[in-house]
Amino acid sequence: MNKARASMEHLYRVFTAPEGRESKLAQIEQHLSANLADFLSRHVVASNTSLEDIEHHFADFTVPEEPQFVSDHAEILLEKLVANSVNTYSPQFIGHMTSALPYFHLPLAKLLVGLNQNLVKIETSKAFTPLERQVLGMIHQLVYGHNEHFYRAHLHSANYSLGAFCSGGTIANISALWVARNQALPPKGSFRGVSQSGLHAALKHYGYEDMVILTSKRGHYSLSKAADVLGLGRHNLITLPCPDQTLDPQLALQKGLELQQQGIKVLAIVGIAGTTETGHIDPLDELADVAQQLGCHFHVDAAWGGATLFSQKYRSLLKGIERADSVTLDAHKQMYVPMGAGMVLFKDANASNAVRHHAEYILREGSKDLGASTLEGSRNGMAMMLYASMHIFGRQGYQLLIDQSIEKAHYFADLISQQPDFELITKPTLCLLTYRVRPDFIKEVLSRFPDKRDEINQLLDNLTVAVQKRQREAGKSFVSRTRLATGKYHQQVVTVFRVVLANPLTTAEHLNDILHEQLHIARQTQSWTRLQNLANQLTTSV
Ligand SMILES: *Cc1c(COP(=O)(O)O)cnc(C)c1O
């Protein structure tokens, strides 16, 4: 093998000329473009390698001293990295919110890198800035449906932005609550506002004992990060219990009033449109009323569920979202855009001015630089991916995708309910559901012996964990698992399989196979045997 030399000549070639079409990287590129599914099935192969073994591949902690040829390096990437990746495109991979993408994103990703635009300022993104503003406007219109005059006046205005594009739901949630915080503690008279003077001075100025955010136990952990970075502290994210998986507006109101009586400012109520664990949607319209009564900001985290707005059939599930002061959406979830595409939108075009920032060399006053009101600095042109998707699918195409996901989830829920050895735990609202293995022989025992319920549920938890792990290790299918308190078991927390049916390529047959495999695995576990023994013991002793 020739060795690469650290010379300017070598570096120049790396920047400009590929090593030719026969180079390994060029071959990878061709294979990827020609047939992605085939590429993945050939190269993403080592699904049951242990994490420890993989870590051995990545054990060096010194910067490589000498350069490498691109081709040689491509070999290493294939062997160490690609082989051990997770095939999120697989139709049997139904455990997380990450799934297959439409093929056109591959060449578009190349275009994106090829152009390397920076959306922080117009000077490095001339056409991309107007495009991003348009995309934000389209999604804004989908959520809020303001009139034509509103969009004509604000879409490309230097003085407003309707929202912000960002890397994902986490940054979107932080951005929304950042705006809310600055609006709740604005400059007044000689006081310069929380943005300039900090939280301590602001709370003192306004005479608040403290500041909190209200949401349900199902709130995404990014809300807790937001409470942390905004200076409120994680304890001040108050998560209310939700036995029926959604936030009870009465409970939120009661808690809010209670806090206000103690001189504590409720910064915001966060409603969730599509919880990460079960896909439930909070009663947004009623929560909007509560926020109004409490005089606080109403934020809706629709990172997952927001795309449901494309469906005329199901968009009414999100009724009330149009009353939210801010909304988070993730295009890299149900809009099938590659990761790194989140959005926050504000009902009021003026809202984002609460965090507007100017600097001398960029983001000058009156400039249209998007960076003036985004949390992130340098950003790529991901908005192009959503722009392309919205044109290539159209609203109608997205509607089909959303509808078939939800309907598939209903099909799977019915299928689970018909199986004597499974139990559906949460029914799908969107395309998520949870269930567990619950052998038929234990079903009656579970209801007949209430004092044994904890013990039985503990064994069932172990059974679910064992099945989930072994199925994952076998590498054919993947469902995730979580722990939920459910009304069905008097708020006892049980372990469940969690399924997200986002991949349009997942079929009924795949779902049947997954249940089959789970039952097959379950019957071989110790927990199954223990449950059998317990059932025998209990039923014969009576
Ligand atoms: C995924 C998700 C988030 C976080 O989004 P990221 O893109 O992972 O940062 C926040 N809230 C909800 C409801 C989500 O589903």
Side-chain angles (χ1 to χ4, degrees):
M1 199 202 302
N2 280 333
K3 263 190 108 44
R5 263 187 331 110
S7 63
M8 274 320 288
E9 192 193 344
H10 171 74
L11 296 184
Y12 184 76
R13 260 206 318 277
V14 169
F15 266 86
T16 55
E19 288 160 40
R21 299 197 65 74
E22 70 292 346
S23 104
K24 189 71 199 175
L25 197 59
Q27 285 169 15
I28 292 174
E29 205 180 342
Q30 276 165 28
H31 193 175
L32 271 172
S33 315
N35 192 338
L36 179 63
D38 185 66
F39 176 88
L40 294 174
S41 69
R42 278 185 206 216
H43 292 289
V44 183
V45 286
S47 59
N48 49 13
T49 315
S50 76
L51 188 58
E52 286 75 21
D53 284 344
I54 297 171
E55 281 167 356
H56 283 304
H57 290 312
F58 302 101
D60 270 359
F61 45 82
T62 51
V63 177
E65 184 58 27
E66 296 186 354
Q68 227 170 24
F69 284 116
V70 172
S71 263
D72 297 339
H73 186 65
E75 294 274 9
I76 294 171
L77 287 180
L78 272 190
E79 195 184 308
K80 293 186 177 178
L81 187 69
V82 179
N84 293 303
S85 292
V86 173
N87 187 355
T88 58
Y89 276 63
S90 158
Q92 279 112 305
F93 182 89
I94 56 167
H96 285 302
M97 292 178 160
T98 309
S99 86
L101 297 174
Y103 89 94
F104 60 82
H105 283 306
L106 263 175
L108 286 185
K110 255 167 106 168
L111 186 60
L112 200 65
V113 175
L115 292 169
N116 199 28
Q117 305 287 291
N118 186 347
L119 278 280
V120 74
K121 52 187 184 286
I122 285 258
E123 288 168 0
T124 50
S125 67
K126 205 155 123 207
F128 273 69
T129 289
L131 172 134
E132 186 169 299
R133 284 178 171 277
Q134 184 191 8
V135 167
L136 286 170
M138 285 175 172
I139 300 294
H140 191 284
Q141 203 272 342
L142 187 73
V143 173
Y144 292 110
H146 288 349
N147 63 24
E148 191 181 327
H149 173 73
F150 175 88
Y151 295 103
R152 296 247 172 274
H154 298 110
L155 200 63
H156 295 289
S157 163
N159 302 318
Y160 303 98
S161 37
L162 301 180
F165 227 89
C166 55
S167 70
T170 299
I171 302 295
N173 281 338
I174 295 174
S175 302
L177 294 166
W178 182 27
V179 164
R181 190 198 67 167
N182 289 9
Q183 286 186 321
L185 302 167
K188 199 166 115 197
S190 64
F191 177 65
R192 298 166 73 206
V194 64
S195 180
Q196 296 292 328
S197 305
L199 195 62
H200 179 74
L203 291 179
K204 217 162 107 183
H205 177 83
Y206 283 97
Y208 297 133
E209 287 297 319
D210 210 345
M211 185 173 248
V212 299
I213 299 167
L214 292 181
T215 190
S216 87
K217 285 263 181 272
R218 294 280 165 275
H220 190 265
Y221 57 84
S222 55
L223 298 172
S224 162
K225 292 181 183 174
D228 184 346
V229 297
L230 292 173
L232 273 62
R234 291 184 186 224
H235 268 298
N236 285 338
L237 174 74
I238 297 181
T239 59
L240 298 167
C242 50
D244 302 318
Q245 309 301 334
T246 57
L247 181 53
D248 174 0
Q250 271 319 107
L251 191 64
L253 180 62
Q254 192 191 323
K255 186 75 190 173
L257 292 172
E258 206 177 285
L259 290 159
Q260 286 183 341
Q261 270 175 4
Q262 298 164 35
I264 296 169
K265 168 73 183 166
V266 178
L267 171 61
I269 290 183
V270 181
I272 308 153
T275 62
T276 316
E277 281 168 288
T278 66
H280 280 76
I281 300 169
D282 286 335
L284 304 178
D285 214 17
E286 290 164 85
L287 290 176
D289 291 337
V290 175
Q292 209 167 9
Q293 269 173 281
L294 294 175
C296 71
H297 187 101
F298 181 40
H299 175 63
V300 172
D301 181 357
W304 176 258
T308 313
L309 294 169
F310 287 122
S311 165
Q312 275 165 358
K313 193 164 168 190
Y314 293 107
R315 69 167 289 145
S316 61
L317 291 172
L318 274 65
K319 190 172 176 308
I321 195 172
E322 71 287 351
R323 296 175 64 196
D325 297 297
S326 54
V327 174
T328 285
L329 280 105
D330 255 342
H332 60 223
K333 288 181 178 164
Q334 292 197 94
M335 296 185 202
Y336 301 95
V337 160
M339 255 168 292
M343 283 167 280
V344 59
L345 298 153
F346 299 102
K347 180 159 84 181
D348 173 7
N350 209 20
S352 59
N353 286 330
V355 297
R356 190 168 278 272
H357 185 89
H358 294 290
E360 279 309 320
Y361 72 106
I362 54 163
L363 320 179
R364 292 177 201 99
E365 301 251 18
S367 84
K368 295 188 175 185
D369 298 344
L370 290 164
S373 53
T374 57
L375 179 58
E376 290 169 311
S378 295
R379 263 182 329 104
N380 68 5
M382 281 304 289
M384 179 185 81
M385 310 307 233
L386 183 53
Y387 180 85
S389 287
M390 285 197 291
H391 284 87
I392 292 168
F393 289 127
R395 189 204 54 80
Q396 293 176 4
Y398 269 130
Q399 166 169 282
L400 282 171
L401 287 169
I402 293 292
D403 290 1
Q404 63 90 31
S405 292
I406 294 178
E407 279 145 29
K408 206 184 304 172
H410 285 293
Y411 165 83
F412 196 36
D414 288 344
L415 185 69
I416 291 163
S417 303
Q418 289 158 17
Q419 312 289 315
D421 295 317
F422 286 94
E423 179 185 24
L424 188 66
I425 300 289
T426 57
K427 288 186 189 156
T429 304
L430 299 173
C431 63
L432 275 80
L433 57 94
T434 62
Y435 66 103
R436 63 176 178 170
V437 194
R438 192 234 30 223
D440 198 26
F441 59 74
I442 207 78
K443 182 178 176 188
E444 206 212 310
V445 183
L446 195 55
S447 55
R448 237 174 86 199
F449 300 93
D451 56 320
K452 294 283 173 193
R453 202 167 48 214
D454 288 3
E455 187 185 344
I456 296 172
N457 273 330
Q458 182 59 55
L459 284 168
L460 289 171
D461 284 357
N462 299 347
L463 180 62
T464 303
V465 171
V467 172
Q468 193 268 349
K469 275 192 184 160
R470 286 192 207 175
Q471 187 171 37
R472 185 187 66 203
E473 282 158 14
K476 206 168 123 252
S477 315
F478 174 77
V479 305
S480 57
R481 64 166 202 267
T482 187
R483 287 172 58 71
L484 292 176
T486 87
K488 193 168 175 180
Y489 292 108
H490 309 265
Q491 293 316 304
Q492 195 181 350
V493 176
V494 296
T495 303
V496 295
F497 299 126
R498 167 175 169 268
V499 157
V500 185
L501 292 168
N503 188 338
L505 307 177
T506 303
T507 63
E509 204 181 327
H510 291 128
L511 298 176
N512 274 287
D513 286 351
I514 286 170
L515 288 188
H516 245 264
E517 192 188 11
Q518 288 180 330
L519 192 56
H520 181 74
I521 297 172
R523 290 206 164 108
Q524 297 167 345
T525 59
Q526 276 186 355
S527 307
W528 183 282
T529 318
R530 289 208 184 115
L531 281 160
Q532 244 168 353
N533 294 341
L534 184 65
N536 289 340
Q537 200 186 328
L538 288 171
T539 45
T540 49
S541 64
V542 173

